Structures are given as C-alpha cells and as structure tokens.
Amino acid sequence: MKQKTCKVAKTVLTLLLCAGLTAGSVPIDALAADVQSEQPVGGTETDTEAGTEGNTQSTGSVSDGNVVIKEREETGTESGAPQADSVSEGDGIALISLEASNTHIATYTGKIPEGITWAADVTVDTFSKSYSVVTAKAADGTSYTVEVVPEGIVYFIDNVTSDFSETTTEPYEAVKTLAGDQLINKVYDQQKTADTAWGLVDTDATTKKYNNTTTDKTATGIYGNNAIGETLSYDLYLEAGTYTITSGHREWWDKTRPMDVLLKTDAGETTIGSVSVSKSVKTAQFSYTFTLDTAQTVTYTLKSTAKQAP
C-alpha cells in the first residue's frame, strides 16, 4: 500500500481483543487495527458470560491507515451459520442485509456521518472516541448504530469465530464501506497462511459462544488455552511508516486475565507493555506507536502471565 503524504505521517493499528471475552476488545468489541494520522486510539467493549475464559482479537494497519483485529473467547468451539452476502447501497452504506445497512454505519473520529439529518443533540462530540460504537438518532427518530474509526484506517479485523464461518459482520461492512479500497483486509478476518499477507497465526484458538450475533463486536471472540505463557498472535503486513496499534480487551467470565503485549518486527521481538481485564475491569485498551523503515510483516502477540487464556 502506498504511503500517503500526510502532514503527520502516523499510522494507527487497532486490535480488538476479548479475554474471557474478546481478547482484543477495546473497544472490546472486535478485533480491528487501524492507521491514523494523529494520536493512537482504540475502543472498548463489554460482555459477560459464565463459562470458559480468555479470548482475543487484533488488527493491523498500514502507513496512514488503520487496522483492527478482534478476538473472542467461549467455552468450546462453535461455528455460526453463515449470513447472507453483504449488499452495497447507493448511499454508501453496506451491510449484511438491506435492513441492517440502513442503520449500521461508520464514520471517522470527530466527524458527523453525512447524508442523514440528525437530531439536535447529535454533534461532533458524539463521535469523538475512536473505536467506540455510538447509538445516535436522526431527526425523524430513526436510531443508527455508528462505528467510529480513525481516518486513514487500513485494517479493521473483527474476530467472530476461530473457523471464520461467518460470511461477514456488520461492523466490518460498515467500516469497509466508509474506508473503501483503503482497507487492506478484504474480509473481516482470516487465518494466516503462506499465501496471505495477514491473519490469525494460531490454529488452536477457541470461539466464544455468541448465538450467531455479529452486529456487536464485543459479543464474541476467540481465546487461547489456560496456561501461563499461552499466546494469541496476528501477522500484519505493513509498508514503511509510523503506526499506532491499538488492541481492545474484554472479560466475559469474571476472571482476572493479565497479558503481556509483544511486537515482533525485522529487528526482533519486544515486550511493549501489558494489559489486564477482570471482574472489576471488564474492558481495557492498549496502544503502542512504532516506526518501520522498510515494508515487512509484523506480529502482534498477547501472552498470558497467569493461568487464564489470552
């Protein structure tokens, strides 16, 4: 992807993970990574459920773009029934169904969605938090679900199942419609293989039960195994540039889930911080800014530092 000539050449990658929830879930909703020209941002999601624990989501981004990856966790593996193909409308809104496409949309941080006459209380501040999900009403009373992402986003990965059985998701389709060809990931999530530029590295991830609900990024996710040192990783191809990667995390089962965050580049792997979710802190977000001198594949990893799965 060609690097844009922006006044501030910074890219933001967002990863949404759910632990015992979405291992990347901040917005603990899904996994996504994005690239933006200003400060790093992220979102959070919340959800609770009795059962197994640990899940993650992540996303990658490219120069002056955004990437979001989301993962979730559940007890056992369960695939959701595929949805109908997404559809694009002339008004620039795309989603899984025509009905959903009319009300689930996306906008850039700090910008009011165009093409709709909004109620008087809907202002720029309504959409001020990147990776948040906002419910806003139009002047005619219609309620909209709005995904807020940074401008320049290049990856928006929404983790739903470890077998990628869904056709697509509403959050991904909304952001894809907004960002267009700027998004590197042409599908909501996928497995990393020798033939793909990005995707989930792990092959033993488990899916959190979600009853085939794909509208909420935080409703589900993927998680690893319960063991100290267990990891969940995403590979993301990035051009040379400066990026901010943000991961969102959510705890679904009231466990305490501490994780180290690692980033591997051509220069080696480094622990860049830590993040934790628990019964008292249901959602959390982690952001990190780094610069790549050459195009390469980076690996973003969550590593459990206690017995709960990442």
Side-chain angles (χ1 to χ4, degrees):
M1 177 176 178
K2 294 182 178 179
Q3 184 173 0
K4 301 178 182 178
T5 53
C6 297
K7 187 174 182 180
V8 181
K10 178 180 289 185
T11 297
V12 176
L13 292 74
T14 303
L15 203 90
L16 296 185
L17 310 177
C18 294
L21 73 132
T22 313
S25 82
V26 173
I28 200 166
D29 296 338
L31 104 99
D34 52 27
V35 179
Q36 166 184 15
S37 8
E38 301 253 7
Q39 73 264 9
V41 289
T44 36
E45 306 175 359
T46 44
D47 191 2
T48 53
E49 160 173 354
T52 344
E53 54 219 29
N55 67 27
T56 8
Q57 298 180 335
S58 63
T59 54
S61 79
V62 192
S63 194
D64 295 328
N66 294 303
V67 176
V68 179
I69 298 178
K70 159 186 165 183
E71 301 175 15
R72 301 156 177 145
E73 142 187 15
E74 81 175 271
T75 304
T77 310
E78 170 180 295
S79 351
Q83 304 282 332
D85 290 340
S86 61
V87 293
S88 294
E89 300 251 74
D91 57 3
I93 299 174
L95 256 185
I96 288 180
S97 69
L98 286 172
E99 181 180 358
S101 71
N102 290 328
T103 58
H104 201 143
I105 61 177
T107 191
Y108 291 126
T109 307
K111 292 192 175 182
I112 299 175
E114 299 179 353
I116 298 170
T117 301
W118 296 99
D121 62 345
V122 177
T123 66
V124 169
D125 290 341
T126 305
F127 312 101
S128 61
K129 185 177 181 180
S130 295
Y131 309 119
S132 63
V133 181
V134 176
T135 298
K137 285 192 174 182
D140 64 2
T142 301
S143 182
Y144 289 84
T145 297
V146 186
E147 303 286 339
V148 182
V149 297
E151 267 189 280
I153 185 169
V154 295
Y155 280 90
F156 185 92
I157 302 171
D158 185 3
N159 302 131
V160 180
T161 68
S162 57
D163 63 1
F164 318 105
S165 56
E166 293 291 349
T167 299
T168 189
T169 72
E170 289 83 350
Y172 169 75
E173 289 296 332
V175 174
K176 178 183 177 182
T177 298
L178 177 71
D181 292 339
Q182 182 174 280
L183 275 189
I184 294 176
N185 60 305
K186 304 307 179 186
V187 293
Y188 68 96
D189 196 8
Q190 68 181 16
Q191 188 75 48
K192 178 67 177 71
T193 69
D195 299 323
T196 58
W198 64 274
L200 174 66
V201 175
D202 308 81
T203 57
D204 62 346
T206 304
T207 303
K208 178 192 178 297
K209 293 180 180 178
Y210 65 107
N211 298 322
N212 306 127
T213 300
T214 56
T215 57
D216 179 0
K217 299 191 304 293
T218 62
T220 182
I222 61 176
Y223 60 102
N225 299 307
N226 287 329
I228 296 176
E230 176 69 13
T231 62
L232 277 179
S233 302
Y234 266 81
D235 274 357
L236 301 164
Y237 176 78
L238 299 172
E239 295 290 341
T242 296
Y243 300 85
T244 298
I245 185 165
T246 299
S247 59
H249 309 257
R250 171 184 175 181
E251 180 52 55
W252 288 315
W253 297 289
D254 293 344
K255 304 294 183 180
T256 297
R257 199 176 306 279
M259 295 163 278
D260 277 345
V261 185
L262 296 81
L263 183 69
K264 182 180 181 181
T265 67
D266 287 352
E269 185 174 56
T270 304
T271 298
I272 56 177
S274 62
V275 63
S276 180
V277 286
S278 63
K279 181 177 181 179
S280 58
V281 181
K282 294 289 187 181
T283 65
Q285 179 176 305
F286 178 85
S287 293
Y288 181 75
T289 300
F290 60 98
T291 298
L292 300 176
D293 294 329
T294 60
Q296 57 190 274
T297 296
V298 302
T299 303
Y300 188 81
T301 298
L302 294 176
K303 182 178 181 180
S304 60
T305 56
K307 67 178 183 179
Q308 304 304 323

